[in-house]
Amino acid sequence: MIVTTEQLFAHAYGKYAVGAYNINNLEQTVGLFRGNLGKSKSNDDPVDPATSAPFILQISRGARGYSDKRFLEAMIRTADEIFPESVLAVHLDHGTEEACYDCIESGFYSSVMIDASGEEFAKNIEITRRVVDRAHAKGIVVEAELGQLGGVEEDIVGSVSLTDPDQAAEFVERSGCDSLAVAIGTSHGAYKFAGKQGLHFDVLKKIQKVLSEKYPLVMHGSSSVPQEWVERINNAGGKMHSASGVPEDQYLPAAKLGVCKINIDTDGRLVWCAIHRESFRDDPANFDLRPPGKIFMVAYADYIVHKNKMFGSAGQLELVRKTLK
Ligand code: G3H
Ligand code: 13P
Ligand code: ZN
């Protein structure tokens, strides 16, 4: 069932965060749906109430342009049919104004992100307000961003600028956005926290304080970049040195301070890369794409279960469903 992020955040606020996972292809989609239902090995496994979770499936502009965006939409509709117990929001990640309008008009997305964080404060508000007006007219919710993360965001290499808590309330009020992505020390990609480790909880606390009650915050660049997966990649011929991510024990404290959505893309890529490298290393005569694909879908589903446990969303699916009726 496709719902808005607003419906998910209303249940999660202050207790846990909903995982927002980027997908690009079929194997990621299957692994993601299975993992959020606590199914690992096959689509026909029973749903596991102890680990099943609501989730956000997010699609970047890069993913939409990888082949044809209609393939992604068709795949997600089909997954929603094959896994009818799922509760998810379908979200555009880091949209331009144009991409947001395209998704709003498509009738398929329940949530869009307008990322005008590279613009000046007033311009960011102006652009976000236009998108909010168009989206709300169609019942779609909008995430906006204030402040700038480090690392690579789509095709832009960003310079870090933490969200200014003094600007946050005015931004939300004037733009009308439904959730706010904040820069509190994370960055996109596999090489985070060069020099300094951890999130700026002091900034997060201040942002939570100035916003209205239960206003949902979003954390981008939140992959934990597990050393286990980095080592597996390197042991299978990869060259990823000094990779690091957000310590997983910081997710729940962030959720308690109003972070309702935690974005994960890089970790999924690491799992994909390790499995495929290992598979071709261990069976060099193989040239069939399906053996690594099968292993990946199981491994990715297991990884999603693990991540949802760290977010506190594992086991929440039935409780959320009750709030939707
Ligand atoms: O925040 C950016 C996401 O990780 C999307 O990455 O543009 O390579 O799909 P992508
Ligand atoms: P990571 O690169 O840490 O996975 O962040 C993903 C993200 O923020 C997508 O918008
Ligand atoms: Zn992001």
Short mmCIF file of all heavy atoms in Angstrom, two decimals, residues 22 58 93-94 113 115 143 145 149 152-154 181 187-188 218-222 261 263-265, ligand 3:
data_model
loop_
_atom_site.label_atom_id
_atom_site.label_comp_id
_atom_site.label_asym_id
_atom_site.label_seq_id
_atom_site.Cartn_x
_atom_site.Cartn_y
_atom_site.Cartn_z
N ASN A 22 17.24 4.06 -1.38
CA ASN A 22 17.27 4.35 -2.82
C ASN A 22 17.30 3.05 -3.62
O ASN A 22 18.00 2.11 -3.24
CB ASN A 22 18.54 5.14 -3.19
CG ASN A 22 18.47 6.56 -2.69
OD1 ASN A 22 18.58 6.80 -1.49
ND2 ASN A 22 18.30 7.50 -3.58
N GLN A 58 12.93 5.42 -2.28
CA GLN A 58 13.23 6.70 -2.93
C GLN A 58 14.01 6.53 -4.21
O GLN A 58 14.83 5.64 -4.37
CB GLN A 58 13.84 7.70 -1.98
CG GLN A 58 15.05 7.28 -1.20
CD GLN A 58 15.47 8.38 -0.22
OE1 GLN A 58 14.72 9.31 0.07
NE2 GLN A 58 16.69 8.29 0.26
N ASP A 93 13.92 11.69 -4.62
CA ASP A 93 15.07 12.11 -3.81
C ASP A 93 15.82 13.24 -4.53
O ASP A 93 16.12 13.12 -5.72
CB ASP A 93 15.97 10.88 -3.64
CG ASP A 93 17.07 11.07 -2.63
OD1 ASP A 93 16.89 11.87 -1.69
OD2 ASP A 93 18.12 10.40 -2.77
N HIS A 94 16.13 14.31 -3.82
CA HIS A 94 16.90 15.44 -4.38
C HIS A 94 16.36 15.95 -5.72
O HIS A 94 17.09 16.01 -6.73
CB HIS A 94 18.38 15.06 -4.55
CG HIS A 94 19.08 14.85 -3.25
ND1 HIS A 94 19.39 15.88 -2.40
CD2 HIS A 94 19.50 13.71 -2.63
CE1 HIS A 94 19.98 15.39 -1.32
NE2 HIS A 94 20.05 14.08 -1.42
N MET A 113 11.01 15.46 -2.89
CA MET A 113 11.95 16.36 -2.23
C MET A 113 12.36 17.45 -3.21
O MET A 113 12.82 17.13 -4.32
CB MET A 113 13.21 15.61 -1.79
CG MET A 113 14.25 16.57 -1.20
SD MET A 113 15.84 15.78 -0.94
CE MET A 113 16.68 17.07 -0.05
N ASP A 115 15.11 20.02 -3.67
CA ASP A 115 16.41 20.36 -3.07
C ASP A 115 16.92 21.66 -3.69
O ASP A 115 17.59 21.65 -4.72
CB ASP A 115 17.41 19.23 -3.29
CG ASP A 115 18.74 19.53 -2.61
OD1 ASP A 115 18.88 20.64 -2.05
OD2 ASP A 115 19.62 18.66 -2.63
N GLU A 143 9.32 17.33 0.97
CA GLU A 143 10.50 17.47 1.83
C GLU A 143 11.38 18.56 1.21
O GLU A 143 11.53 18.60 -0.02
CB GLU A 143 11.26 16.13 1.85
CG GLU A 143 12.59 16.15 2.58
CD GLU A 143 13.32 14.79 2.43
OE1 GLU A 143 12.67 13.72 2.45
OE2 GLU A 143 14.56 14.81 2.29
N GLU A 145 15.17 21.07 1.91
CA GLU A 145 16.46 21.00 2.61
C GLU A 145 16.98 22.39 2.93
O GLU A 145 16.93 23.28 2.10
CB GLU A 145 17.49 20.24 1.74
CG GLU A 145 18.85 20.08 2.42
CD GLU A 145 19.80 19.12 1.69
OE1 GLU A 145 19.33 18.14 1.10
OE2 GLU A 145 21.02 19.37 1.72
N LEU A 149 24.94 19.51 2.96
CA LEU A 149 25.77 18.38 3.37
C LEU A 149 27.08 18.42 2.60
O LEU A 149 27.15 19.03 1.52
CB LEU A 149 25.05 17.07 3.03
CG LEU A 149 24.00 16.55 4.02
CD1 LEU A 149 22.78 17.43 3.99
CD2 LEU A 149 23.63 15.13 3.68
N VAL A 152 29.08 14.16 -2.37
CA VAL A 152 28.46 14.32 -3.69
C VAL A 152 26.95 14.13 -3.57
O VAL A 152 26.48 13.14 -3.06
CB VAL A 152 29.03 13.28 -4.68
CG1 VAL A 152 28.42 13.48 -6.07
CG2 VAL A 152 30.53 13.39 -4.73
N GLU A 153 26.19 15.11 -4.02
CA GLU A 153 24.74 15.06 -4.00
C GLU A 153 24.31 15.12 -5.45
O GLU A 153 24.49 16.14 -6.11
CB GLU A 153 24.23 16.29 -3.25
CG GLU A 153 22.90 16.09 -2.58
CD GLU A 153 22.63 17.20 -1.57
OE1 GLU A 153 22.07 18.21 -1.99
OE2 GLU A 153 22.98 17.03 -0.40
N GLU A 154 23.80 14.01 -5.98
CA GLU A 154 23.56 13.89 -7.42
C GLU A 154 24.86 14.28 -8.13
O GLU A 154 25.90 13.75 -7.82
CB GLU A 154 22.38 14.79 -7.85
CG GLU A 154 21.04 14.29 -7.31
CD GLU A 154 20.46 13.11 -8.08
OE1 GLU A 154 20.98 12.74 -9.14
OE2 GLU A 154 19.46 12.55 -7.61
N ALA A 181 14.90 18.38 5.63
CA ALA A 181 16.20 17.72 5.67
C ALA A 181 17.20 18.70 6.27
O ALA A 181 17.31 19.84 5.80
CB ALA A 181 16.63 17.31 4.27
N SER A 187 27.37 13.38 5.44
CA SER A 187 27.63 13.70 4.04
C SER A 187 27.29 12.48 3.20
O SER A 187 27.27 11.35 3.70
CB SER A 187 29.09 14.11 3.84
OG SER A 187 29.94 13.09 4.30
N HIS A 188 27.05 12.71 1.93
CA HIS A 188 26.71 11.59 1.05
C HIS A 188 27.96 10.76 0.72
O HIS A 188 29.08 11.26 0.77
CB HIS A 188 26.11 12.11 -0.25
CG HIS A 188 24.74 12.70 -0.08
ND1 HIS A 188 24.53 14.05 -0.01
CD2 HIS A 188 23.53 12.12 0.08
CE1 HIS A 188 23.24 14.29 0.17
NE2 HIS A 188 22.61 13.14 0.23
N VAL A 218 14.57 15.15 8.63
CA VAL A 218 15.12 14.11 7.75
C VAL A 218 16.65 14.18 7.81
O VAL A 218 17.22 15.26 7.82
CB VAL A 218 14.64 14.34 6.30
CG1 VAL A 218 15.27 13.33 5.35
CG2 VAL A 218 13.11 14.30 6.21
N MET A 219 17.26 13.01 7.82
CA MET A 219 18.72 12.95 7.83
C MET A 219 19.22 12.28 6.55
O MET A 219 18.97 11.09 6.33
CB MET A 219 19.16 12.16 9.05
CG MET A 219 20.40 12.68 9.71
SD MET A 219 20.61 11.95 11.34
CE MET A 219 21.18 10.32 10.96
N HIS A 220 19.88 13.04 5.71
CA HIS A 220 20.50 12.49 4.50
C HIS A 220 21.90 11.98 4.84
O HIS A 220 22.40 12.20 5.95
CB HIS A 220 20.60 13.58 3.43
CG HIS A 220 19.30 13.82 2.73
ND1 HIS A 220 19.10 13.54 1.41
CD2 HIS A 220 18.12 14.31 3.19
CE1 HIS A 220 17.86 13.84 1.07
NE2 HIS A 220 17.24 14.31 2.14
N GLY A 221 22.52 11.33 3.87
CA GLY A 221 23.91 10.91 4.03
C GLY A 221 24.13 10.06 5.26
O GLY A 221 25.11 10.23 6.00
N SER A 222 23.22 9.11 5.49
CA SER A 222 23.22 8.40 6.79
C SER A 222 23.72 6.97 6.73
O SER A 222 23.62 6.24 7.72
CB SER A 222 21.79 8.41 7.36
OG SER A 222 21.36 9.74 7.52
N LYS A 261 13.02 10.29 9.23
CA LYS A 261 13.39 9.63 7.96
C LYS A 261 14.91 9.61 7.87
O LYS A 261 15.55 10.65 8.01
CB LYS A 261 12.79 10.42 6.79
CG LYS A 261 13.22 10.00 5.39
CD LYS A 261 12.42 10.79 4.34
CE LYS A 261 12.78 10.45 2.90
NZ LYS A 261 13.90 11.26 2.38
N ASN A 263 18.05 8.44 5.41
CA ASN A 263 18.33 8.07 4.01
C ASN A 263 19.54 7.16 3.86
O ASN A 263 20.64 7.49 4.34
CB ASN A 263 18.62 9.33 3.19
CG ASN A 263 17.37 10.12 2.87
OD1 ASN A 263 16.32 9.91 3.47
ND2 ASN A 263 17.48 11.02 1.92
N ILE A 264 19.32 6.06 3.15
CA ILE A 264 20.40 5.07 2.93
C ILE A 264 20.48 4.72 1.45
O ILE A 264 19.53 4.16 0.89
CB ILE A 264 20.12 3.77 3.74
CG1 ILE A 264 19.95 4.05 5.24
CG2 ILE A 264 21.21 2.73 3.47
CD1 ILE A 264 21.19 4.49 5.97
N ASP A 265 21.57 5.02 0.84
CA ASP A 265 21.83 4.62 -0.54
C ASP A 265 23.17 3.87 -0.61
O ASP A 265 23.25 2.73 -1.06
CB ASP A 265 21.87 5.86 -1.44
CG ASP A 265 22.01 5.50 -2.91
OD1 ASP A 265 22.18 4.31 -3.22
OD2 ASP A 265 21.98 6.41 -3.76
ZN ZN B 3 20.57 12.79 0.11
#
